[in-house]
Each structure stands twice: as C-alpha cells, then as structure tokens.
Amino acid sequence: MNRRDFLISAGVVAAFSAIPFIRRLNPPAPLTIQNAYSLWYNRPAVAELTGGFCFGYITSGGEVSVAEITDDLLVRRVNVMARFEGASDHGSPALIRIPSGQFEGHILACFSNHASPLYCMRTKRPEDIGEWEDIRVLDTGRSTYASVAGLPDGRIILMHTLQERIGNSSAGEWRRTVARSSDDGGETWSTPVQIVGYGAGTFPYSTPLVSSSDGRCAMSYAIYRSEHKRHEGLSVVISEDAFLSKIEIPINLGDDQIYDTIPYETRWVEDNNVAVSYSQMSQDGTRGVGKIAFVDVENRSVKSIVTLTEAVVHTYAGGAALDGSGSFAISSPPGGGLIIQDIRNGNSQAIIERGSFSSPWIFTLQGKPMISALKNPSIETTRRFSSELFVMPLA
C-alpha cells in the first residue's frame, strides 16, 4: 500500500476560550486514512512507538492492518497482518506495547472476525511493525470484541466474548464475556475466567477493558436480550486480580431503563472513581443521547449521571469520548462535525465544524491528548461497512 492510498487532510483546531484546556500550539495537521475502520469495543487500538505510534484497523475488504504514524501525523508504512473472507466490522485489532520481560517493546495484536476463533500476533522485533510472528489461535470458540490492558506488574489482560449455541434459534444463543492473562508478553495465556454471563437469549455488550495505576481492571456492560430486542441495564465490574474475583456495581437508570442502552467507554478518573460513557436510543432507534455516570468504587454507589448532547446514529449512537480526568467529553452530533463539552457546566463548542463522524476516542501519546474518530462511516450491516480513520491532536 503506497502513500497515494492515504489522504492527508489539513484542518485547524478552533479557538476554544470557553474551555481552557484546548490550546493552539501549532499542532500537526489532522490525518485521514482512507478505507480504515476501528470498532470502539476493540481498544486500545494504539501502541506508542519511538517518534510516533501505530494504529490498528480493518479495511472493508477484510485486511487486518496496522499503520505506523509519526509524531507529525504522517503515515510511514502499513502492514497487513491478516485477511478475513466475509469480513466483519468487528474485526479490527486491539493493540498493546508489551511493557516488560523478554518481549518488552514488541507490539501485540488480538482480534477476531465476529464469532470466529480468537487470534493473536506479535511483532518479531521491538517497535517494528514490518514483520510479525505467525498468527496464533488463542481460542477456537466463536469469539468477538477483543480488548487488552496492561497492569503495573507487566501482566497483559485480554477480554473478549464467547458465543455459545444450542439449536438454531436466537433463543438458544448467548454470549459470555471472559478474561485471560499473560505474564510473559503473550507467549502463554491463562485459562479464561468468566466476567459476565446470563445464559440463553442474552448477549453482554461491554465497554473496552481499562486498568488503573494500581492494577485494578474495570469494564461496564449492558445485556442485549433477544426476547426484548434491546440492550437493558448497565453495570460496572471492578477487579483487583484480573477477574478471578470481582465486584459489580449496578447503575440505576431510573425512568430511562425503558430505552436501549449502549455502553461505550469506561475511564478511571480518580483513584476510586470511574466514569461510564453510554448512549440511550429513542424508542424508534433514530436518535441517541450521550450520558455519563460517575461511580464511586469504594462506596459502590453512583454519584451522578450527566446528560450530554445528542449523538449521531450509525446503526448505534456514536457515543462520547471521555478525557482521563472526566472533565470533558467529545461527541459527534447529528448535524456533523465533532464537539467538545465541559461536563461540569455543559458548555460546548465545535472542534470540527462539519463532516460525518462517529466513535470518537481520546488517547494520550507522550503526555499529549489525541483524538481519533471514524470519518464518513457507513455501516449498512456487520458485513457491509466502510469508513476513514481520522486522527488529530487536542493540544
């Protein structure tokens, strides 16, 4: 794939006096990678490299790819790790830079093609996406929604779902969310332990896995019930031992429990507090409103729920990206563009004035906040999808 396959689009971050954490410091121009889709469940999709980072995605033709991108947001090269026939939009890889041990600095990728075996690949050399070891099968079951997190002790936690089936009807299908860990850089993995599973006719839909600075893991989930054909409820799960044990904190949705609830992101915002970003769909499925629940982990209680702006709907509502402190969120409104909203006072302003976007995500590189989003997304079905991948600095 050559450089003509990429569109580098210039843009300027709008002056944002109402929210002072946005500063204009002559950042590099935004980057748009054509034919690149990254599902929000499969995060982190970024691994830091010296002088830049790599970003994982899948193309509409089923190429599971990793792009190496410089600090100046220029694509240095792209490596196609695998190809799926009949590709799904769920097939984008989760990436992590191995934190320590024999494979320190190598990039590890985990992915599946929506109810396919779970796959894993690792680069042959540290920070070099040009060559990868042979693809390995971590689970032969029907897997999807791979997500990874690193712990302070060097362990890697991998979370995904496994789909079970009895008979041929939807009432006989269900998913369970599991986690496994590796303490040798992905060389070997523990037996999976179940995080969530409710039996036939139920499908847990979770946020990506996140870890705290002291090694606790968190995820949030809703349950899709085939009988009702909607996602119901919302809970946070916290674990101090890679889900060998866990605590679960329900989020009381009150009168809003009648709406289809789509979990989007969980963030540790303080030592004992997490923020959960989720969307609630209108009864007819045409509109979605972003919300954030702030949860006190120590007291196992919900401190508050904040309603954000309406989010554009591409099959599901796009969700709102949270910053690491839980003070602002970025979302894609139905009118186009990307907006940033101060969670404390509700003030909002456009970062990008126009264009079709979805699934924003805030990540940090060398201490600097960045945002990615799907640009011009089209999700007709799980198998018929396309988008561009948009990346820009926030400061």
Side-chain angles (χ1 to χ4, degrees), residues 43-44 46 94-100 108 147-159 180-183 185 189 208-218 239 242-243 268:
R43 288 176 180 161
V46 162
L95 302 182
I96 190 169
R97 179 189 172 115
I98 298 172
S100 61
L108 184 71
S147 178
V148 292
L151 302 185
D153 63 6
R155 278 186 300 168
I156 297 170
I157 310 300
L158 166 60
M159 183 179 76
R180 60 184 82 210
S181 63
S182 174
D183 57 11
W189 294 87
L209 180 65
V210 291
S211 60
S212 67
S213 59
D214 62 4
R216 287 175 293 174
C217 293
S239 178
F243 297 104
W268 289 94

CSV table of all heavy atoms in Angstrom, one decimal, residues 43-44 46 94-100 108 147-159 180-183 185 189 208-218 239 242-243 268:
chain,number,residue,atom,x,y,z
A,43,ARG,N,-10.5,-1.8,21.8
A,43,ARG,CA,-9.5,-0.8,22.2
A,43,ARG,C,-8.7,-1.3,23.4
A,43,ARG,O,-9.1,-2.2,24.1
A,43,ARG,CB,-10.2,0.5,22.6
A,43,ARG,CG,-10.7,1.2,21.4
A,43,ARG,CD,-11.5,2.5,21.8
A,43,ARG,NE,-12.0,3.1,20.5
A,43,ARG,CZ,-13.0,4.0,20.6
A,43,ARG,NH1,-13.6,4.3,21.7
A,43,ARG,NH2,-13.4,4.6,19.4
A,44,PRO,N,-7.5,-0.8,23.5
A,44,PRO,CA,-6.9,0.3,22.8
A,44,PRO,C,-6.5,-0.2,21.4
A,44,PRO,O,-6.0,-1.3,21.2
A,44,PRO,CB,-5.6,0.7,23.6
A,44,PRO,CG,-5.3,-0.6,24.3
A,44,PRO,CD,-6.6,-1.2,24.6
A,46,VAL,N,-4.2,1.7,19.7
A,46,VAL,CA,-3.0,2.4,19.5
A,46,VAL,C,-1.9,1.8,20.4
A,46,VAL,O,-2.2,1.5,21.6
A,46,VAL,CB,-3.2,3.9,19.8
A,46,VAL,CG1,-1.9,4.6,20.1
A,46,VAL,CG2,-3.9,4.6,18.7
A,94,ALA,N,-7.1,-5.0,18.6
A,94,ALA,CA,-6.7,-4.3,19.8
A,94,ALA,C,-5.2,-4.5,19.9
A,94,ALA,O,-4.7,-5.5,19.7
A,94,ALA,CB,-7.4,-4.9,21.1
A,95,LEU,N,-4.5,-3.4,20.3
A,95,LEU,CA,-3.1,-3.3,20.3
A,95,LEU,C,-2.5,-3.0,21.7
A,95,LEU,O,-3.2,-2.2,22.4
A,95,LEU,CB,-2.5,-2.3,19.3
A,95,LEU,CG,-2.9,-2.4,17.8
A,95,LEU,CD1,-2.1,-1.4,17.0
A,95,LEU,CD2,-2.5,-3.8,17.3
A,96,ILE,N,-1.4,-3.5,22.0
A,96,ILE,CA,-0.7,-3.1,23.2
A,96,ILE,C,0.8,-3.3,23.0
A,96,ILE,O,1.3,-4.2,22.3
A,96,ILE,CB,-1.2,-3.9,24.4
A,96,ILE,CG1,-0.6,-3.3,25.7
A,96,ILE,CG2,-0.8,-5.4,24.3
A,96,ILE,CD1,-1.3,-3.9,27.0
A,97,ARG,N,1.6,-2.3,23.5
A,97,ARG,CA,3.0,-2.5,23.6
A,97,ARG,C,3.4,-3.2,24.8
A,97,ARG,O,3.0,-2.9,25.9
A,97,ARG,CB,3.7,-1.1,23.6
A,97,ARG,CG,5.2,-1.1,23.7
A,97,ARG,CD,5.7,0.4,23.9
A,97,ARG,NE,7.1,0.4,24.2
A,97,ARG,CZ,8.0,0.9,23.4
A,97,ARG,NH1,7.6,1.5,22.3
A,97,ARG,NH2,9.3,0.9,23.7
A,98,ILE,N,4.1,-4.4,24.6
A,98,ILE,CA,4.4,-5.2,25.7
A,98,ILE,C,5.3,-4.5,26.7
A,98,ILE,O,6.3,-4.0,26.4
A,98,ILE,CB,5.1,-6.5,25.3
A,98,ILE,CG1,4.1,-7.3,24.3
A,98,ILE,CG2,5.5,-7.4,26.4
A,98,ILE,CD1,4.7,-8.5,23.6
A,99,PRO,N,4.9,-4.4,28.0
A,99,PRO,CA,5.5,-3.4,28.9
A,99,PRO,C,6.8,-3.9,29.5
A,99,PRO,O,7.7,-3.1,29.9
A,99,PRO,CB,4.5,-3.3,30.0
A,99,PRO,CG,3.7,-4.5,30.0
A,99,PRO,CD,3.6,-4.9,28.6
A,100,SER,N,7.1,-5.2,29.6
A,100,SER,CA,8.3,-5.7,30.2
A,100,SER,C,8.6,-7.1,29.8
A,100,SER,O,7.8,-7.8,29.2
A,100,SER,CB,8.1,-5.6,31.8
A,100,SER,OG,7.1,-6.4,32.2
A,108,LEU,N,1.7,-6.3,20.4
A,108,LEU,CA,0.9,-7.5,20.5
A,108,LEU,C,-0.5,-7.0,19.9
A,108,LEU,O,-1.0,-6.0,20.3
A,108,LEU,CB,0.7,-8.0,21.9
A,108,LEU,CG,-0.1,-9.2,22.1
A,108,LEU,CD1,0.7,-10.5,21.6
A,108,LEU,CD2,-0.4,-9.4,23.6
A,147,SER,N,-10.3,-6.9,23.6
A,147,SER,CA,-9.8,-5.7,24.3
A,147,SER,C,-8.7,-6.1,25.2
A,147,SER,O,-8.7,-7.2,25.8
A,147,SER,CB,-11.0,-5.0,25.1
A,147,SER,OG,-10.5,-3.9,25.7
A,148,VAL,N,-7.7,-5.2,25.3
A,148,VAL,CA,-6.5,-5.6,26.1
A,148,VAL,C,-6.2,-4.4,27.1
A,148,VAL,O,-6.5,-3.3,26.8
A,148,VAL,CB,-5.3,-5.9,25.2
A,148,VAL,CG1,-5.4,-7.2,24.5
A,148,VAL,CG2,-5.0,-4.7,24.3
A,149,ALA,N,-5.5,-4.7,28.1
A,149,ALA,CA,-5.0,-3.7,29.1
A,149,ALA,C,-3.7,-4.3,29.7
A,149,ALA,O,-3.5,-5.5,29.9
A,149,ALA,CB,-6.0,-3.5,30.2
A,150,GLY,N,-2.8,-3.3,30.1
A,150,GLY,CA,-1.6,-3.7,30.8
A,150,GLY,C,-1.7,-3.3,32.2
A,150,GLY,O,-2.3,-2.3,32.6
A,151,LEU,N,-1.1,-4.2,33.1
A,151,LEU,CA,-1.0,-3.9,34.5
A,151,LEU,C,0.4,-3.5,34.9
A,151,LEU,O,1.4,-3.7,34.3
A,151,LEU,CB,-1.4,-5.2,35.3
A,151,LEU,CG,-2.8,-5.8,35.0
A,151,LEU,CD1,-3.1,-6.9,35.9
A,151,LEU,CD2,-3.9,-4.7,35.1
A,152,PRO,N,0.5,-2.8,36.1
A,152,PRO,CA,1.8,-2.3,36.5
A,152,PRO,C,2.8,-3.4,36.7
A,152,PRO,O,4.0,-3.1,36.6
A,152,PRO,CB,1.5,-1.6,37.9
A,152,PRO,CG,0.0,-1.2,37.8
A,152,PRO,CD,-0.6,-2.3,36.9
A,153,ASP,N,2.4,-4.6,37.0
A,153,ASP,CA,3.4,-5.7,37.2
A,153,ASP,C,3.8,-6.3,35.9
A,153,ASP,O,4.6,-7.3,35.9
A,153,ASP,CB,2.8,-6.8,38.1
A,153,ASP,CG,1.6,-7.4,37.6
A,153,ASP,OD1,1.2,-7.2,36.4
A,153,ASP,OD2,0.9,-8.2,38.3
A,154,GLY,N,3.4,-5.8,34.8
A,154,GLY,CA,3.8,-6.3,33.5
A,154,GLY,C,2.8,-7.3,32.8
A,154,GLY,O,3.0,-7.7,31.7
A,155,ARG,N,1.8,-7.7,33.6
A,155,ARG,CA,0.8,-8.7,33.0
A,155,ARG,C,0.0,-8.0,32.0
A,155,ARG,O,-0.3,-6.8,32.1
A,155,ARG,CB,-0.1,-9.2,34.1
A,155,ARG,CG,0.5,-10.4,34.9
A,155,ARG,CD,-0.5,-11.0,35.8
A,155,ARG,NE,-0.9,-10.0,36.8
A,155,ARG,CZ,-2.0,-10.2,37.6
A,155,ARG,NH1,-2.7,-11.3,37.5
A,155,ARG,NH2,-2.3,-9.2,38.5
A,156,ILE,N,-0.5,-8.7,31.0
A,156,ILE,CA,-1.5,-8.3,30.0
A,156,ILE,C,-2.8,-9.0,30.2
A,156,ILE,O,-2.8,-10.2,30.3
A,156,ILE,CB,-0.9,-8.5,28.6
A,156,ILE,CG1,0.4,-7.7,28.4
A,156,ILE,CG2,-2.0,-8.1,27.5
A,156,ILE,CD1,1.1,-8.1,27.1
A,157,ILE,N,-3.9,-8.2,30.3
A,157,ILE,CA,-5.2,-8.8,30.4
A,157,ILE,C,-5.9,-8.7,29.1
A,157,ILE,O,-5.9,-7.6,28.4
A,157,ILE,CB,-6.0,-8.1,31.5
A,157,ILE,CG1,-5.2,-8.0,32.8
A,157,ILE,CG2,-7.3,-8.8,31.7
A,157,ILE,CD1,-4.8,-9.3,33.4
A,158,LEU,N,-6.5,-9.8,28.6
A,158,LEU,CA,-7.2,-9.8,27.4
A,158,LEU,C,-8.7,-10.2,27.7
A,158,LEU,O,-8.9,-11.2,28.3
A,158,LEU,CB,-6.6,-10.9,26.4
A,158,LEU,CG,-7.4,-11.3,25.2
A,158,LEU,CD1,-7.7,-10.1,24.3
A,158,LEU,CD2,-6.7,-12.4,24.4
A,159,MET,N,-9.6,-9.3,27.2
A,159,MET,CA,-11.0,-9.6,27.4
A,159,MET,C,-11.7,-9.8,26.1
A,159,MET,O,-11.4,-9.1,25.1
A,159,MET,CB,-11.7,-8.4,28.2
A,159,MET,CG,-13.1,-8.6,28.5
A,159,MET,SD,-13.8,-7.1,29.4
A,159,MET,CE,-14.0,-6.0,28.1
A,180,ARG,N,-8.6,-13.4,30.2
A,180,ARG,CA,-7.4,-14.3,30.4
A,180,ARG,C,-6.2,-13.4,30.5
A,180,ARG,O,-6.2,-12.2,30.1
A,180,ARG,CB,-7.2,-15.3,29.3
A,180,ARG,CG,-7.1,-14.8,27.9
A,180,ARG,CD,-7.0,-15.9,26.9
A,180,ARG,NE,-8.4,-16.3,26.5
A,180,ARG,CZ,-8.6,-17.6,26.1
A,180,ARG,NH1,-7.7,-18.5,26.1
A,180,ARG,NH2,-9.9,-17.9,25.8
A,181,SER,N,-5.1,-13.9,31.1
A,181,SER,CA,-3.9,-13.0,31.3
A,181,SER,C,-2.7,-13.7,30.8
A,181,SER,O,-2.6,-14.9,30.7
A,181,SER,CB,-3.8,-12.6,32.8
A,181,SER,OG,-3.6,-13.8,33.6
A,182,SER,N,-1.7,-12.9,30.6
A,182,SER,CA,-0.3,-13.4,30.2
A,182,SER,C,0.7,-12.6,31.0
A,182,SER,O,0.6,-11.4,31.0
A,182,SER,CB,-0.1,-13.2,28.7
A,182,SER,OG,1.2,-13.6,28.3
A,183,ASP,N,1.6,-13.3,31.6
A,183,ASP,CA,2.7,-12.6,32.3
A,183,ASP,C,4.1,-12.8,31.6
A,183,ASP,O,5.1,-12.5,32.1
A,183,ASP,CB,2.8,-13.1,33.7
A,183,ASP,CG,3.1,-14.6,33.8
A,183,ASP,OD1,3.3,-15.3,32.8
A,183,ASP,OD2,3.0,-15.2,35.0
A,185,GLY,N,4.4,-11.7,28.0
A,185,GLY,CA,4.3,-11.0,26.8
A,185,GLY,C,3.5,-11.6,25.7
A,185,GLY,O,3.8,-11.4,24.5
A,189,TRP,N,-1.0,-18.0,27.9
A,189,TRP,CA,-2.2,-17.3,28.4
A,189,TRP,C,-2.9,-18.3,29.4
A,189,TRP,O,-2.8,-19.5,29.3
A,189,TRP,CB,-3.1,-17.0,27.3
A,189,TRP,CG,-2.6,-16.0,26.4
A,189,TRP,CD1,-1.9,-16.2,25.2
A,189,TRP,CD2,-2.8,-14.5,26.5
A,189,TRP,NE1,-1.5,-15.0,24.6
A,189,TRP,CE2,-2.1,-14.0,25.4
A,189,TRP,CE3,-3.4,-13.7,27.4
A,189,TRP,CZ2,-2.0,-12.6,25.1
A,189,TRP,CZ3,-3.4,-12.3,27.1
A,189,TRP,CH2,-2.7,-11.8,26.1
A,208,PRO,N,-14.7,-1.3,26.3
A,208,PRO,CA,-13.3,-1.9,26.4
A,208,PRO,C,-12.8,-1.9,27.8
A,208,PRO,O,-13.3,-1.2,28.7
A,208,PRO,CB,-12.5,-0.9,25.5
A,208,PRO,CG,-13.5,-0.2,24.7
A,208,PRO,CD,-14.8,-0.1,25.5
A,209,LEU,N,-11.9,-2.8,28.0
A,209,LEU,CA,-11.2,-3.0,29.3
A,209,LEU,C,-10.3,-1.9,29.6
A,209,LEU,O,-9.6,-1.4,28.7
A,209,LEU,CB,-10.5,-4.4,29.2
A,209,LEU,CG,-9.7,-4.8,30.5
A,209,LEU,CD1,-10.7,-5.1,31.6
A,209,LEU,CD2,-8.9,-6.1,30.1
A,210,VAL,N,-10.3,-1.4,30.8
A,210,VAL,CA,-9.3,-0.4,31.2
A,210,VAL,C,-8.7,-0.8,32.6
A,210,VAL,O,-9.3,-1.5,33.4
A,210,VAL,CB,-9.9,1.0,31.4
A,210,VAL,CG1,-10.3,1.5,30.0
A,210,VAL,CG2,-11.1,1.0,32.3
A,211,SER,N,-7.5,-0.3,32.8
A,211,SER,CA,-6.8,-0.6,34.1
A,211,SER,C,-6.4,0.7,34.8
A,211,SER,O,-6.2,1.7,34.1
A,211,SER,CB,-5.6,-1.5,33.9
A,211,SER,OG,-4.6,-0.8,33.0
A,212,SER,N,-6.3,0.7,36.1
A,212,SER,CA,-5.9,1.8,36.9
A,212,SER,C,-4.4,1.8,37.2
A,212,SER,O,-3.7,0.8,36.9
A,212,SER,CB,-6.7,1.8,38.2
A,212,SER,OG,-6.3,0.8,39.0
A,213,SER,N,-3.9,2.8,37.7
A,213,SER,CA,-2.4,2.9,38.0
A,213,SER,C,-2.0,1.9,39.1
A,213,SER,O,-0.9,1.5,39.2
A,213,SER,CB,-2.1,4.3,38.5
A,213,SER,OG,-2.8,4.7,39.6
A,214,ASP,N,-3.0,1.4,39.9
A,214,ASP,CA,-2.6,0.4,40.9
A,214,ASP,C,-3.0,-1.0,40.5
A,214,ASP,O,-3.0,-1.9,41.3
A,214,ASP,CB,-3.3,0.8,42.3
A,214,ASP,CG,-4.8,0.8,42.2
A,214,ASP,OD1,-5.4,0.5,41.2
A,214,ASP,OD2,-5.4,1.2,43.2
A,215,GLY,N,-3.4,-1.2,39.3
A,215,GLY,CA,-3.6,-2.5,38.7
A,215,GLY,C,-5.0,-3.1,38.8
A,215,GLY,O,-5.2,-4.2,38.5
A,216,ARG,N,-6.0,-2.2,39.1
A,216,ARG,CA,-7.4,-2.7,39.1
A,216,ARG,C,-7.9,-2.6,37.7
A,216,ARG,O,-7.6,-1.7,36.9
A,216,ARG,CB,-8.2,-1.9,40.0
A,216,ARG,CG,-8.0,-2.2,41.5
A,216,ARG,CD,-8.8,-1.2,42.4
A,216,ARG,NE,-8.3,0.1,42.3
A,216,ARG,CZ,-8.9,1.2,42.8
A,216,ARG,NH1,-10.0,1.0,43.6
A,216,ARG,NH2,-8.4,2.4,42.7
A,217,CYS,N,-8.8,-3.5,37.3
A,217,CYS,CA,-9.4,-3.6,36.0
A,217,CYS,C,-10.9,-3.2,36.1
A,217,CYS,O,-11.5,-3.4,37.1
A,217,CYS,CB,-9.3,-5.0,35.4
A,217,CYS,SG,-7.7,-5.5,35.0
A,218,ALA,N,-11.4,-2.5,35.1
A,218,ALA,CA,-12.8,-2.1,35.1
A,218,ALA,C,-13.3,-2.3,33.7
A,218,ALA,O,-12.7,-2.1,32.7
A,218,ALA,CB,-12.9,-0.6,35.5
A,239,SER,N,-12.2,-5.4,39.3
A,239,SER,CA,-11.5,-6.5,39.8
A,239,SER,C,-10.0,-6.1,40.2
A,239,SER,O,-9.4,-5.3,39.4
A,239,SER,CB,-11.4,-7.6,38.8
A,239,SER,OG,-10.6,-8.7,39.2
A,242,ALA,N,-7.4,-9.5,38.1
A,242,ALA,CA,-7.6,-10.0,36.7
A,242,ALA,C,-8.9,-10.8,36.6
A,242,ALA,O,-8.9,-11.8,35.9
A,242,ALA,CB,-6.4,-10.7,36.2
A,243,PHE,N,-9.9,-10.5,37.4
A,243,PHE,CA,-11.2,-11.1,37.3
A,243,PHE,C,-11.3,-12.5,37.9
A,243,PHE,O,-12.3,-13.2,37.7
A,243,PHE,CB,-11.8,-11.0,35.9
A,243,PHE,CG,-12.0,-9.6,35.4
A,243,PHE,CD1,-11.1,-9.1,34.5
A,243,PHE,CD2,-13.0,-8.8,35.8
A,243,PHE,CE1,-11.2,-7.8,34.0
A,243,PHE,CE2,-13.1,-7.5,35.4
A,243,PHE,CZ,-12.2,-7.0,34.4
A,268,TRP,N,-11.1,5.4,34.4
A,268,TRP,CA,-10.7,5.7,35.8
A,268,TRP,C,-10.4,7.2,35.8
A,268,TRP,O,-9.5,7.7,35.1
A,268,TRP,CB,-9.4,4.9,36.2
A,268,TRP,CG,-9.7,3.5,36.4
A,268,TRP,CD1,-9.5,2.5,35.5
A,268,TRP,CD2,-10.1,2.9,37.6
A,268,TRP,NE1,-9.8,1.3,36.1
A,268,TRP,CE2,-10.2,1.5,37.4
A,268,TRP,CE3,-10.5,3.3,38.9
A,268,TRP,CZ2,-10.6,0.6,38.3
A,268,TRP,CZ3,-10.9,2.4,39.8
A,268,TRP,CH2,-11.0,1.1,39.6
